């Protein structure tokens, strides 16, 4: 590929970014249009998160997401994205059912979606599973801190503050061969310590400014959140308002026979 064209990124670029102290950007996408748009905006990673269960399907948690659903959305997004690293979530509870089950599920994600990396939520208890996946040639991103799949066990969406546990969880992911780790909802000082300790990129969400990168759910980033906006979100647009106004304006024009005009009517 000629040098002047944007080269597809790989996990080597994520590792290089940490070495070069270049901040990484990661955002979710669940469909072809948003995959195309966020890739064109130049993000490093596009995450097909199991947040699809909440954002797209309106479920109260991510627990209901299935492997079939992740394959469906992952394939659409991976086909849309040309440059960014595409990461697909391993849905609950596949990382807890042993190395073989995790490899079968992750291989299906890799083969049927075309993504490059799978992300799994876990503590140090998932070290063996991550190592098994990496040994099978499957790049893995860890996810520690607030693990939404464990929301019932954690007693809600709460900041996780056990410094020793968080450090052990992130270190286990790195030692097992993960190519990065998401740090969700942990105090900034702990996230900074983890980032300085582990050799792999940390991608924060609600974890302060000192992570190697940041991730947001696309709908939060563009102001499409219907429920309460988490405090760690900065909406960069008001698409909820824009969309509502556009549809209401169109509805009024339909009702008053202003739409369609002659020019909008095929001859
Ligand atoms: O599923 C998801 O969208 C995620 C991000 C919040 C990191 O895991």
């Amino acid at each position: 590929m000629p040098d002047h064209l944007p080269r597809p990124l790989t996990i080597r670029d994520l590792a290089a970014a940490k070495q070069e102290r270049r901040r990484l950007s990661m955002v979710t996408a669940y469909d072809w249009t948003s995959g195309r748009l966020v890739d064109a905006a130049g993000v490093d990673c596009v995450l097909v998160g199991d947040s699809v269960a909440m954002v797209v399907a309106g479920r109260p948690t991510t627990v209901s997401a299935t492997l079939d659903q992740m394959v469906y959305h992952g394939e659409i997004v991976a086909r849309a994205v040309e440059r960014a690293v595409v990461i697909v979530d391993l849905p609950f509870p596949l990382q807890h059912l042993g190395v073989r089950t995790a490899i079968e599920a992750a291989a299906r994600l890799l083969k049927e979606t075309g993504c490059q990396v799978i992300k799994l939520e876990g503590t140090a208890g998932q070290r063996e599973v991550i190592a098994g996946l990496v040994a099978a040639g499957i790049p893995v991103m860890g996810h520690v801190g607030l693990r939404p799949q464990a929301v019932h066990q954690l007693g809600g969406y709460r900041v996780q503050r056990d410094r020793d546990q968080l450090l052990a969880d992130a270190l286990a992911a790195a030692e097992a061969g993960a190519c990065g780790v998401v740090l969700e909802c942990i105090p900034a000082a702990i996230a900074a310590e983890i980032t300085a300790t582990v050799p792999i990129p940390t991608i924060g969400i609600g974890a302060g400014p000192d992570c190697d990168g940041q991730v947001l759910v696309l709908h939060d980033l563009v102001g499409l959140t219907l429920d309460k906006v988490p405090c760690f979100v900065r909406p960069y647009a008001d698409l909820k308002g824009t969309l509502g106004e556009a549809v209401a304006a169109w509805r009024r024009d339909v009702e008053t026979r202003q739409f369609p005009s002659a020019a909008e009517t095929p001859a």
Side-chain angles (χ1 to χ4, degrees):
M1 180 176 289
D3 283 349
H4 63 279
L5 290 179
R7 186 176 53 80
L9 300 179
T10 73
I11 61 168
R12 293 169 65 91
D13 296 293
L14 307 186
K18 174 143 187 154
Q19 298 309 315
E20 295 158 10
R21 303 176 68 80
R22 185 175 65 77
R23 289 285 197 257
L24 291 163
S25 54
M26 173 157 110
V27 67
T28 63
Y30 314 105
D31 60 38
W32 192 80
T33 303
S34 58
R36 286 284 293 261
L37 292 174
V38 300
D39 191 40
V43 297
D44 297 293
C45 304
V46 178
L47 170 66
V48 187
D50 59 2
S51 52
V52 66
M54 300 174 75
V55 176
V56 174
R59 308 269 184 222
T61 74
T62 60
V63 173
S64 69
T66 67
L67 187 59
D68 283 345
Q69 289 166 355
M70 299 315 299
V71 167
Y72 178 76
H73 291 279
E75 189 277 332
I76 293 169
V77 172
R79 189 159 33 86
V81 170
E82 292 178 357
R83 178 177 175 274
V85 175
V86 177
I87 303 168
V88 179
D89 266 344
L90 192 66
F92 177 78
L94 292 162
Q95 70 275 40
H96 303 287
L97 302 180
V99 177
R100 188 187 170 91
T101 301
I103 291 178
E104 281 171 355
R108 196 175 156 214
L109 288 175
L110 232 57
K111 285 157 73 102
E112 295 183 29
T113 72
C115 74
Q116 292 104 310
V117 178
I118 68 107
K119 177 167 80 60
L120 62 81
E121 295 178 15
T123 62
Q126 269 64 57
R127 179 195 295 262
E128 199 190 332
V129 167
I130 296 175
L133 290 166
V134 173
I138 301 172
V140 177
M141 182 168 282
H143 183 148
V144 310
L146 171 55
R147 290 166 287 113
Q149 293 177 4
V151 60
H152 302 305
Q153 175 68 27
L154 297 174
Y157 295 102
R158 329 163 69 86
V159 179
Q160 303 299 301
R161 302 180 185 280
D162 185 339
R163 177 245 177 222
D164 292 351
Q165 180 68 55
L166 293 165
L167 195 55
D169 292 346
L171 266 173
E175 287 165 5
C179 65
V181 61
V182 167
L183 307 179
E184 179 161 354
C185 271
I186 69 177
I190 299 177
E193 185 182 358
I194 293 173
T195 301
T197 305
V198 298
I200 56 174
T202 60
I203 315 283
I205 176 165
D210 294 322
C211 301
D212 297 308
Q214 297 288 329
V215 53
L216 280 181
V217 168
L218 178 64
H219 290 57
D220 291 340
L221 193 162
V222 299
L224 268 176
T225 317
L226 298 186
D227 299 325
K228 189 169 167 281
V229 180
C231 72
F232 52 79
V233 165
R234 186 189 302 172
Y236 281 79
D238 175 24
L239 291 202
K240 187 169 58 176
T242 305
L243 190 150
E245 282 164 21
V247 175
W250 173 79
R251 176 186 55 76
R252 281 191 297 272
D253 282 353
V254 169
E255 289 168 0
T256 57
R257 301 171 190 235
Q258 303 297 303
F259 180 89
S261 66
E264 289 155 341
T265 304

